[in-house]
Amino acid sequence: MSKTEKKPVSTAKVRDFCSKRRMIVIITAIVLAVTVIGIIVRGVGVAIEFKGGTVITYDCLNDVDAGKAEEVVRSIVNTSVNIRTGENIESDGKQLTVSFTSENGLTADRQAELTAALQEAFPDSDITLSDSNDVSPTTGKEFFLKCIVAVIFAAILIIIYIAIRFRNIGGWSAGLCSVLALVHDLVVAFAASVLCGFEINSNMVAVLLTILGYSINNTIVIYDRIRENRQLMPKAAMNDIINAGCSQSLTRSLRTSITTVGTMLVITIVVLISGYDSLLSFSVPLMFGLISGTYSSLFVAPVTWSWWMEKKAAKSKAKKK
Amino acid sequence: MTLYLLGGMTVKKIGKSTFFIVVALILLFSASSVLGLDYQYGDNKTTLINGVDDIRLGIDIQGGVDVTFKPSGDYDATEDQLAAATEVINRRLVSLGINDSEVYSDAKSDRIIVRFPWQAGETDFDPESAVKELGETAELTFRRGSDYETDPEDENSVIPTGEIVLSGADVESAKAGSQPNDNGEYEYVVQLVLSESGKDKFAQATTELAGTSTPISIWMDNTMISAPTVSSAITNGEAVISGSFTTYEDAKSMADTISSGALPFKMETSSFKTISPTMGEGSLDAILLAGIIAFACIAVYMLVLYRLPGAVAVIALIGQIAGSLAVVSKWFGFMDSSTLTIPGIAGIILAVGMGVDANIITGERIKEELRSGKSLDSAIKIAYKRAFTAIFDGNITNVIVAIVLIGAFGVPSSFFSKILNHTIFYFFGATTEGVVYSFGVTLLAGVIFNFIMGVFAARLMVTSLSKFKCFRNRKLYGGDVK
């Protein structure tokens, strides 16, 4: 680029993002199909704090292996099981606390079966039933409803904010499209979690919220470039401005993603090697959500938006005629 | 435009020394937030600044207490009462900064099971005293007169007999404060703001008792806290509990207990046990190891890609991580300490990711401006200015998310919750959810530190370094050789 040229726009090669509509529709369809099939095939496991279940405490003579106990209990109750070991203060003995989700509690027969199985698996531990409780969900339907209202409320505030800050490039539609991209990323993270067979627990809530923040930030960085291009090139066509904005942000988008996805990859590898599997339900969906965030901020948000603007322009043209 | 306050700040005053001052401040802050500051005087350890050791960790990492409560006596709680009691306990946990907890209720046997992690630096691992942290499970009452009778079942305890004027349910909020007593000395008190119903009842009782010798006594269960006489009618709905708090913490803990709401029935503990950390001490090491490896990778990556601004970014990121830890560990005296949980770590990772992003955006911009032929000084100036709008908007949307989450799932008496609960969440009961709340807090703090470290401090450092002759080479900033 020669120095005399007035355009202070970057040297990045402008790629045509706006023409990739077909690809976006196909990818979105695949994502949705995989999610639906995943939910049907694998089912959605919900953790005890959201669903309610049974908490049983056993007294035992010595420390039992939590991993082995988990297997024994899981083979009987057929849901994921949380095992905790500890000490009873009054009797000074060891204790084993088993919690798992269950519909309408556990019958006496099943409980006896469970106790017998544990006694058989740990013959030296002298396992006896200490206490059994059928518990209601700690954070039930109300929590989910409130979560949904909170997220919708936050989304509306974000749309209003984008509408105001990006008014020179048609802010309302930009805001709505950014939320569309956000929903896309949330679905991907959720699908990744379901496909891996992780149950919905509070880690999942944290993952979805992280994706929410990250995805919006990603989209806005690209919108910012489009907004700036609009000022620098007031006469250019909308699609050109969007293409230029996405192209200029491409390096930054990829590099930022490499650091964040890389961080999750490091965590996933370390967790796999060291065997603390419970962290996987956190790092794996987050990693997929982050990858999706990079894609959706470059394609889903700007391209659906350009589509929208084109439709709007065509409509107003038709009206004039 | 005011928005450019940080981004477009005049740079006249930035000299060579600025770099060293900023680096020194960041390192000092980081060191103090990691190591903390305390001194030993005899057997008493006084903590001046909380460090990483003072962070309460989640149950899975640190282990904790499992306590089962039941209604005292033969009281049969309804399902609604049990749910209300569960919510009160949840609120108390969050107002204590314990964000990793499990509270289960069993409607059939009227049991409430509470699990929460040990305090930071717990050494004696006594569940009975840990449970005391949850505050009184007793019922607050204001009674007419101070009469009581001896408990027929236990000679050493008494039962108040005065007519109940107010109960915990009539209190809207409570906070600790101090005021002069009769001798003119300041003492710690708990100040109560009463609800509409409480206001009327209290006004009526104090009007009747004003000037008489009949006191109004204040009880927690069967223990009388104080029995002041009424000098004049109190109609403004404010009441004060005084006379029994020796420290500010005593008063605050009582205030927190009262604001969390009254338990609908008296409870007693039916069993205690300890919980071993499921993931073990090793899990923390694994997380730390992953964090260190990831940070080292990011540092190398930034250095290779952006050279001098990359090096500055690494310093700024250290400051930002320290900032997130400082928020969790109560480094800032005005904030409550929190619990470091997996979601909390997610909040920190998101904030660090946004910090890296801010530095990449500016780094790319500096390169671009240099390649378009600008001088080094104006390239740096314009790059920071242009990058700022993107960073600003991206971070402010995250502030919106954080505030909605804090308001929706925080303690109901807090500022944001009050606003949201009376408007958007009007139809919902108060649901306090420590996990989501702690995520919101770390996210909000991360964004603030992103502005301080990733934007402001990084800009000061880069601009200052560019004044050194040896750092004038455009290649150091990713530009082509002129």
Side-chain angles (χ1 to χ4, degrees), chain A:
Chain A
M1 204 183 270
S2 76
K3 263 190 218 167
T4 47
E5 210 174 54
K6 266 238 150 175
K7 273 191 204 165
V9 178
S10 90
T11 45
K13 189 180 154 216
V14 176
R15 287 162 211 270
D16 192 359
F17 283 81
C18 292
S19 65
K20 302 280 193 297
R21 287 172 198 174
R22 186 191 289 269
M23 180 192 94
I24 290 160
V25 172
I26 293 172
I27 292 183
T28 309
I30 294 173
V31 166
L32 286 178
V34 169
T35 310
V36 172
I37 293 170
I39 290 173
I40 294 168
V41 175
R42 310 257 350 200
V44 182
V46 179
I48 185 169
E49 60 246 51
F50 297 138
K51 196 178 172 188
T54 305
V55 179
I56 306 176
T57 307
Y58 293 100
D59 283 320
C60 41
L61 273 183
N62 45 21
D63 275 322
V64 288
D65 177 31
K68 194 177 165 197
E70 190 180 335
E71 262 171 51
V72 172
V73 180
R74 191 165 46 203
S75 67
I76 292 176
V77 297
N78 285 325
T79 58
S80 67
V81 176
N82 182 345
I83 301 277
R84 289 226 161 101
T85 54
E87 269 172 49
N88 185 334
I89 299 313
E90 286 134 39
S91 68
D92 219 22
K94 301 285 179 192
Q95 285 197 318
L96 176 73
T97 304
V98 178
S99 28
F100 49 88
T101 55
S102 58
E103 304 283 352
N104 310 319
L106 199 68
T107 58
D109 287 351
R110 299 274 283 164
Q111 192 162 305
E113 188 188 344
L114 196 63
T115 311
L118 281 168
Q119 282 164 343
E120 195 185 325
F122 303 100
D124 304 331
S125 300
D126 190 21
I127 290 180
T128 49
L129 182 73
S130 158
D131 196 10
S132 171
N133 284 293
D134 291 327
V135 297
S136 359
T138 50
T139 40
K141 277 189 192 124
E142 174 140 316
F143 170 73
F144 274 116
L145 275 178
K146 202 171 177 182
C147 260
I148 291 168
V149 173
V151 169
I152 292 175
F153 179 55
I156 292 172
L157 291 182
I158 288 169
I159 292 175
I160 294 173
Y161 181 80
I162 292 178
I164 296 169
R165 292 284 293 152
F166 293 84
R167 57 188 175 279
N168 73 331
I169 51 168
W172 289 105
S173 47
L176 277 167
C177 291
S178 73
V179 171
L180 195 72
L182 166 67
V183 173
H184 180 275
D185 302 339
L186 294 180
V187 170
V188 169
F190 180 75
S193 182
V194 170
L195 286 175
C196 296
F198 302 134
E199 61 178 8
I200 307 300
N201 55 16
S202 33
N203 279 2
M204 186 69 212
V205 175
V207 167
L208 292 180
L209 294 173
T210 308
I211 299 295
L212 185 110
Y214 182 81
S215 171
I216 284 289
N217 176 58
N218 246 342
T219 309
I220 283 190
V221 171
I222 289 164
Y223 280 179
D224 175 76
R225 211 58 204 255
I226 299 173
R227 170 173 63 185
E228 190 184 318
N229 288 343
R230 173 48 86 204
Q231 281 170 345
L232 297 172
M233 307 182 279
K235 296 246 167 74
M238 199 63 206
N239 277 0
D240 294 341
I241 291 178
I242 293 176
N243 283 335
C246 292
S247 308
Q248 290 155 347
S249 310
L250 190 62
T251 321
R252 167 262 153 197
S253 271
L254 292 178
R255 289 185 171 174
T256 299
S257 302
I258 289 171
T259 58
T260 46
V261 175
T263 303
M264 282 306 125
L265 197 63
V266 168
I267 292 180
T268 307
I269 293 170
V270 169
V271 165
L272 278 176
I273 293 173
S274 58
Y276 298 108
D277 293 357
S278 57
L279 279 176
L280 284 180
S281 68
F282 167 73
S283 63
V284 173
L286 197 51
M287 191 157 63
F288 278 95
L290 292 174
I291 294 170
S292 164
T294 312
Y295 152 77
S296 75
S297 65
L298 279 169
F299 291 95
V300 178
V303 176
T304 48
W305 181 40
S306 102
W307 205 338
W308 182 321
M309 298 297 271
E310 226 168 64
K311 281 261 155 59
K312 208 170 113 191
K315 231 184 195 174
S316 64
K317 235 184 200 172
K319 263 188 189 167
K320 269 180 196 165
K321 272 178 188 170

Side-chain angles (χ1 to χ4, degrees), chain B residues 317-388:
Chain B
L317 281 175
I318 292 174
Q320 201 176 350
I321 296 169
S324 298
L325 290 176
V327 168
V328 182
S329 71
K330 202 193 171 188
W331 190 88
F332 302 97
F334 61 90
M335 290 183 71
D336 287 334
S337 64
S338 185
T339 311
L340 193 61
T341 56
I342 301 297
I345 294 172
I348 294 178
I349 290 174
L350 175 60
V352 172
M354 304 262 296
V356 174
D357 190 41
N359 284 297
I360 288 183
I361 292 173
T362 15
E364 284 298 318
R365 265 304 163 90
I366 294 175
K367 272 189 188 177
E368 260 180 50
E369 301 299 336
L370 284 174
R371 280 175 193 163
S372 76
K374 294 208 174 61
S375 75
L376 182 62
D377 291 333
S378 67
I380 292 174
K381 199 174 159 187
I382 291 173
Y384 271 100
K385 195 175 161 185
R386 290 219 169 123
F388 185 70

Side-chain angles (χ1 to χ4, degrees), chain B residues 46-300:
Chain B
T46 310
T47 305
L48 296 178
I49 298 174
N50 283 339
V52 173
D53 288 347
D54 300 306
I55 294 178
R56 185 196 286 260
L57 300 165
I59 305 177
D60 285 346
I61 304 173
Q62 198 181 2
V65 182
D66 180 318
V67 55
T68 306
F69 291 107
K70 62 172 190 188
S72 51
D74 297 327
Y75 189 84
D76 184 18
T78 66
E79 214 160 305
D80 284 348
Q81 284 179 322
L82 210 60
T86 311
E87 177 56 26
V88 168
I89 292 172
N90 259 322
R91 258 182 247 166
R92 283 191 190 164
L93 287 163
V94 173
S95 66
L96 284 165
I98 305 176
N99 294 322
D100 186 29
S101 61
E102 295 164 24
V103 185
Y104 297 106
S105 62
D106 180 354
K108 264 183 264 169
S109 62
D110 285 348
R111 295 289 189 274
I112 295 179
I113 303 167
V114 183
R115 295 172 178 168
F116 61 98
W118 295 110
Q119 268 181 326
E122 177 78 47
T123 44
D124 53 359
F125 299 103
D126 172 18
E128 204 159 348
S129 66
V131 171
K132 289 214 177 92
E133 223 192 325
L134 285 182
E136 294 288 333
T137 45
E139 213 182 351
L140 171 78
T141 51
F142 280 53
R143 289 165 186 269
R144 190 183 289 251
S146 55
D147 300 336
Y148 54 83
E149 58 182 35
T150 310
D151 189 335
E153 286 170 23
D154 180 2
E155 282 174 35
N156 295 323
S157 68
V158 295
I159 298 173
T161 53
E163 180 200 338
I164 295 178
V165 177
L166 292 175
S167 71
D170 297 312
V171 179
E172 188 164 286
S173 66
K175 67 172 194 214
S178 60
Q179 66 176 39
N181 62 12
D182 297 341
N183 305 327
E185 293 156 354
Y186 272 82
E187 62 172 356
Y188 296 107
V189 297
V190 171
Q191 294 156 339
L192 305 178
V193 176
L194 303 177
S195 65
E196 278 307 311
S197 64
K199 196 171 161 180
D200 294 343
K201 284 191 250 176
F202 198 51
Q204 201 191 342
T206 48
T207 310
E208 282 169 28
L209 295 178
T212 66
S213 60
T214 312
I216 283 190
S217 57
I218 303 166
W219 299 74
M220 279 315 265
D221 268 0
N222 298 337
T223 309
M224 189 162 74
I225 298 172
S226 63
T229 49
V230 184
S231 52
S232 62
I234 302 170
T235 53
N236 61 356
E238 282 170 22
V240 168
I241 306 175
S242 63
S244 69
F245 309 110
T246 46
T247 64
Y248 176 76
E249 273 67 34
D250 285 350
K252 185 174 183 303
S253 119
M254 171 71 86
D256 281 344
T257 309
I258 296 172
S259 355
S260 314
L263 287 164
F265 49 86
K266 279 182 214 166
M267 294 199 310
E268 58 186 39
T269 48
S270 77
S271 77
F272 298 110
K273 49 181 175 269
T274 62
I275 310 167
S276 320
T278 6
M279 303 203 299
E281 283 293 324
S283 67
L284 188 62
D285 294 341
I287 296 169
L288 278 177
L289 178 70
I292 290 168
I293 295 175
F295 187 81
C297 293
I298 292 175
V300 171

